[in-house]
Amino acid sequence: VQLQASGGGLGQPGGSLRLSCAASGSIFRGGGVGWYRQVPGEQRELVATITSAGNTDYKNFVKDRYTISRDNARDTVYLQMNRLKPEDTAVYYCSAGRFVGAYYYPAYWGQGTLVTVSS
C-alpha cells in the first residue's frame, strides 16, 4: 500500500493551496481517510477526516477554512486549504484507516508534503 501526497509548497497568508493524496490499489475505498500535520518538535495532529460515505470532520483550528474531499474512482483524497495562516506551516500527512464509532484510527501513512505559509 502506498499513499502519495502532493501539492505542498509556499502559500501566501490569506491564500490557498490544495493537497492531494493518491493511493495505490483501493485502500481508500470503504475506509476512512485523515489528514494530519506536524511541526518539527511537536506532535502530529489530526486536521480533518472523511468517512467512506463522505462525512467530514474538522479540528476547530481549520474549520471553515479547509475542506476534505475524496474521489473514490481515482483513489484520491484532497485537502483544500483556504485563508492560509502562518501557523498552518507544517508537514502535512495523509492517512488511510478506519473509524471505530466517532474515532479515526490511521493504519497507513503517506510520506508528507511541506506547506509553508509566508509572505
Side-chain angles (χ1 to χ4, degrees):
V1 173
Q2 274 194 321
L3 301 177
Q4 184 72 35
S6 61
L10 178 63
Q12 298 273 340
S16 299
L17 285 173
R18 188 175 83 153
L19 307 183
S20 299
C21 181
S24 63
S26 303
I27 187 63
F28 285 155
R29 301 184 192 184
V33 178
W35 281 98
Y36 289 73
R37 70 186 188 186
Q38 187 170 24
V39 175
E42 297 184 12
Q43 284 196 332
R44 192 171 297 188
E45 60 182 358
L46 182 62
V47 172
T49 59
I50 187 167
T51 70
S52 57
N55 299 311
T56 59
D57 190 51
Y58 303 89
K59 292 301 182 184
N60 285 338
F61 51 82
V62 301
K63 198 170 286 187
D64 298 327
R65 297 190 299 122
Y66 287 15
T67 302
I68 187 172
S69 60
R70 61 193 298 164
D71 183 339
N72 289 332
R74 289 188 166 88
D75 290 314
T76 301
V77 173
Y78 304 97
L79 186 68
Q80 177 67 42
M81 306 186 296
N82 298 328
R83 304 206 313 271
L84 289 168
K85 303 177 180 180
E87 51 263 43
D88 294 324
T89 296
V91 177
Y92 284 72
Y93 297 89
C94 62
S95 68
R98 63 188 181 99
F99 284 90
V100 178
Y103 294 96
Y104 173 73
Y105 294 91
Y108 303 99
W109 292 94
Q111 86 285 7
T113 185
L114 176 63
V115 171
T116 303
V117 182
S118 174
S119 54

